[in-house]
Amino acid sequence: DIPRAISPVMGEVKKLLLRFAMTLAFGLATLAAFAQHDVALEISVDRDSVAAGDTVTWTLTVTNQNMTDVTGLQVRDTLLPGLTYLAHAAPNGTTYDISNGTWNIGSQLNATTAQLVLTIKTRVEGEGMYMNIAEVTAMNGTDVDSEPNNQELLEDDMDKACVSVPIIICSQLND
């Protein structure tokens, strides 16, 4: 009687399949709990060569490359002397503190938000080159390829952009 012989085997197969499904579910839950963040930061400026007194707009883009729920996220972008703050636009739920250059993102960069963008308008006051450097300075958890607030420009959580005002060396009439 073959069906009776197969019946105990089928019972064991069902048990194995159930055990496998439970192990898989536990493994996926564990993986989600220990998912590592991958936050990247880019900064750009709308014009790289201007005249003294011109307005430039700096754009900071923070990207959630692993689509995890990032919390405690902060970016610092302190404006250098010679760049006068005029205005900024921060995404809802985030703040930019001009006194210390901190963009407090908190938990707004989450598994459903791929990018957030902050824009800062400044006036360039004089001749020379102005380098603007921004960095992720805080976050809860670890990032797979960078460490917040370590001033390592080669990591993807820190970036720079510059604007220059030509220096007039000799100024003569009819030149």
Side-chain angles (χ1 to χ4, degrees):
D1 188 53
I2 294 179
R4 241 182 229 184
I6 294 177
S7 183
V9 172
M10 291 305 290
E12 288 301 313
V13 168
K14 285 181 184 178
K15 286 180 188 176
L16 285 173
L17 286 174
L18 180 59
R19 191 174 300 141
F20 174 74
M22 289 175 31
T23 302
L24 180 61
F26 176 76
L28 290 175
T30 302
L31 182 61
F34 292 103
Q36 287 190 316
H37 307 303
D38 191 5
V39 175
L41 176 67
E42 292 182 18
I43 185 170
S44 62
V45 63
D46 62 340
R47 299 184 297 159
D48 58 5
S49 183
V50 297
D54 283 354
T55 298
V56 296
T57 301
W58 306 92
T59 302
L60 284 75
T61 304
V62 64
T63 303
N64 190 349
Q65 295 180 320
N66 273 359
M67 297 307 292
T68 56
D69 288 326
V70 180
T71 61
L73 186 60
Q74 292 184 337
V75 172
R76 178 157 302 131
D77 181 26
T78 307
L79 299 175
L80 296 174
L83 296 174
T84 301
Y85 170 84
L86 299 175
H88 73 272
N92 289 337
T94 73
T95 59
Y96 179 69
D97 184 344
I98 185 59
S99 68
N100 61 17
T102 299
W103 178 20
N104 188 5
I105 299 168
S107 60
Q108 297 302 309
L109 192 66
N110 53 51
T112 60
T113 306
Q115 288 187 331
L116 292 172
V117 176
L118 168 71
T119 58
I120 305 170
K121 289 189 182 291
T122 62
R123 182 176 48 249
V124 182
E125 298 299 341
E127 298 172 337
M129 183 188 78
Y130 299 92
M131 181 75 65
N132 191 354
I133 300 173
E135 181 179 19
V136 172
T137 55
M139 67 184 284
N140 296 328
T142 58
D143 190 297
V144 297
D145 59 6
S146 58
E147 181 180 331
N149 204 30
N150 66 350
Q151 293 83 44
E152 181 57 55
L153 194 55
L154 297 177
E155 293 182 352
D156 69 348
D157 71 341
M158 187 173 189
D159 201 14
K160 63 182 176 15
C162 71
V163 63
S164 62
V165 177
I167 297 172
I168 309 292
I169 296 174
C170 297
S171 176
Q172 296 177 355
L173 293 174
N174 301 325
D175 276 355

